[in-house]
Amino acid sequence: MEERKNLYSAIQPTNNLTIGNYLGAVQNWVRLQNDYNCYFAIANMHAITVRQNPAELRQRTLSLAALLIACGINPEKCVLYVQSNVHEHAELCWVLNTFTYVGEMERMTQFKDKSLKHADNINMGLMDYPVLMAADILLFQSAVVPIGKDQTQHLEIARDIAQRFNNAYSPTFTVPEGVYVKTAAKICDLLNPDKKMSKSAENANGSIFLSDDRDTIIRKFKRAVTDSEAQVKYDPENKPGVSNLLSIYSVFTGKSIADAENEFAGKGYGDFKLAVGEAVADRIAPIQSEQARLLADKGYLDGILKEGAKNASFAAGRTLSKVYKKVGFYQS
């Protein structure tokens, strides 16, 4: 029987997750945990490259853990932990910094973008973000990393660093391969369907968050951009708003696009938007209920995260010990 490969992925506990995050990341995690040795991290160390409210960061970290479990992440099938609880992340990052060139970091697209958005706080953590991400991945000898197209650059630098270290000291790290995440649909902003739905969008009315209550969800869908044709038809180029709503309806009901088009033939956009909102709210409601139940039992969640950190630290420590030996660190 073929041995399972290790897989690493992480989500930051900043802002609330959208239905796009749910379909594009979390649902994939739920599927992947059955096929790989998965290490799933709540990446709070990455989060502080942008200033955070400490109390909110702590609360969001716990809320995200509860949400992931409510969505189907099973701590008995994977390792779920908080990044800062595994000190090996920071320690390996320091070593890998010595295998990373300043020019490489300055060219990173995310560094350029975030520097523009946070011009008053262009800190070294923002520049060093990809090296910490490389450490995250390489600590667990991860053969597989699920990524979106916007994360290709980060995976490539992780691969480059791993190969540099391996060439200098003999094979130490598994060089990871990216697996592009396949989503059932691309979920776009409700007010600007040319852009992907984002948890950090300037206008929150364009995003549906997993924390939104039923009334908020339906209100946002009622305000969603459509067009003047009053025809529910899938045509992303000419009818991006309507097509986005059709995609969402299809994914959340399990109906095909064609069946959805037939269902709303001859009906107005008002009825269509209401139906989409109700379908999404119906799907999210049980997740919200389970998340609330889990958050009411903080002892249980703490136990899950402590056990996850212990298991993650054990695996990470084995890698870090090899690295320290290779670079010549004296270990007493």
Side-chain angles (χ1 to χ4, degrees):
M1 187 174 179
E2 187 179 351
E3 189 177 347
R4 281 190 174 192
K5 294 178 179 178
N6 290 355
L7 177 148
Y8 178 86
S9 194
I11 296 180
Q12 290 190 41
T14 52
N15 301 319
N16 294 312
L17 297 191
T18 70
I19 57 173
N21 300 130
Y22 170 67
L23 296 171
V26 181
Q27 282 298 93
N28 274 297
W29 282 17
V30 173
R31 287 189 287 270
L32 291 166
Q33 69 184 345
N34 296 313
D35 301 321
Y36 298 93
N37 294 322
C38 293
Y39 293 86
F40 295 138
I42 297 174
N44 59 339
M45 292 170 69
H46 286 287
I48 63 169
T49 57
V50 175
R51 290 283 175 265
Q52 304 291 333
N53 178 295
E56 285 182 8
L57 181 60
R58 279 189 287 272
Q59 180 54 44
R60 282 177 171 165
T61 299
L62 198 65
S63 293
L64 180 54
L67 179 61
L68 292 173
I69 297 170
C71 286
I73 295 301
N74 184 347
E76 294 183 4
K77 290 184 176 182
C78 64
V79 177
L80 176 65
Y81 70 101
V82 177
Q83 185 186 27
S84 64
N85 288 343
V86 177
H87 60 83
E88 289 86 356
H89 284 276
E91 292 183 47
L92 181 58
C93 179
W94 177 252
V95 176
L96 297 186
N97 274 326
T98 67
F99 287 83
T100 309
Y101 305 124
V102 173
E104 290 176 314
M105 295 298 95
E106 290 175 335
R107 290 193 294 272
M108 298 299 286
T109 302
Q110 189 180 60
F111 174 67
K112 292 178 182 177
D113 291 347
K114 285 203 171 183
S115 294
L116 290 173
K117 287 182 181 177
H118 305 280
D120 60 336
N121 184 27
I122 304 174
N123 58 73
M124 282 306 300
L126 200 59
M127 179 180 280
D128 208 32
Y129 186 106
V131 186
L132 178 56
M133 187 178 288
D136 299 339
I137 296 165
L138 300 180
L139 269 176
F140 301 105
Q141 302 296 340
S142 310
V144 178
V145 181
I147 57 172
K149 290 183 179 178
D150 58 339
Q151 296 166 312
T152 302
Q153 202 178 26
H154 284 149
L155 180 64
E156 284 305 312
I157 199 69
R159 285 172 53 84
D160 289 345
I161 293 169
Q163 287 165 342
R164 265 178 220 152
F165 192 97
N166 289 349
N167 290 337
Y169 292 111
S170 77
T172 306
F173 296 118
T174 299
V175 180
E177 297 288 341
V179 174
Y180 285 101
V181 173
K182 291 183 179 179
T183 56
K186 180 185 177 184
I187 306 301
C188 298
D189 190 286
L190 299 183
L191 301 180
N192 187 355
D194 293 326
K195 290 185 176 181
K196 185 173 74 171
M197 187 177 287
S198 171
K199 64 177 184 171
S200 57
E202 290 182 10
N203 190 340
N205 288 314
S207 297
I208 301 295
F209 300 101
L210 294 183
S211 58
D212 285 342
D213 60 35
R214 188 179 189 86
D215 289 344
T216 300
I217 291 170
I218 290 173
R219 173 177 55 78
K220 287 182 177 181
F221 274 109
K222 283 182 177 179
R223 294 179 179 178
V225 168
T226 49
D227 52 49
S228 58
E229 289 186 359
Q231 181 185 17
V232 179
K233 179 183 175 183
Y234 190 76
D235 182 356
E237 188 174 338
N238 298 306
K239 298 169 71 70
V242 173
S243 299
N244 184 40
L245 294 177
L246 269 171
S247 293
I248 294 171
Y249 186 72
S250 171
V251 171
F252 279 87
T253 60
K255 298 178 182 179
S256 69
I257 294 288
D259 286 344
E261 287 177 330
N262 291 332
E263 182 180 347
F264 296 102
K267 294 183 180 179
Y269 285 158
D271 291 340
F272 173 49
K273 290 180 180 180
L274 177 61
V276 180
E278 289 179 337
V280 172
D282 288 345
R283 175 84 166 266
I284 290 177
I287 295 172
Q288 293 175 332
S289 177
E290 179 63 5
Q291 182 191 25
R293 187 189 72 80
L294 290 165
L295 283 170
D297 190 351
K298 186 172 179 290
Y300 170 76
L301 286 175
D302 281 345
I304 292 293
L305 296 175
K306 283 180 181 176
E307 183 67 17
K310 186 176 92 172
N311 292 333
S313 191
F314 177 77
R318 292 170 65 182
T319 297
L320 189 66
S321 180
K322 289 179 185 176
V323 169
Y324 277 11
K325 185 177 180 180
K326 295 279 180 80
V327 300
F329 283 176
Y330 179 79
Q331 299 178 74
S332 57

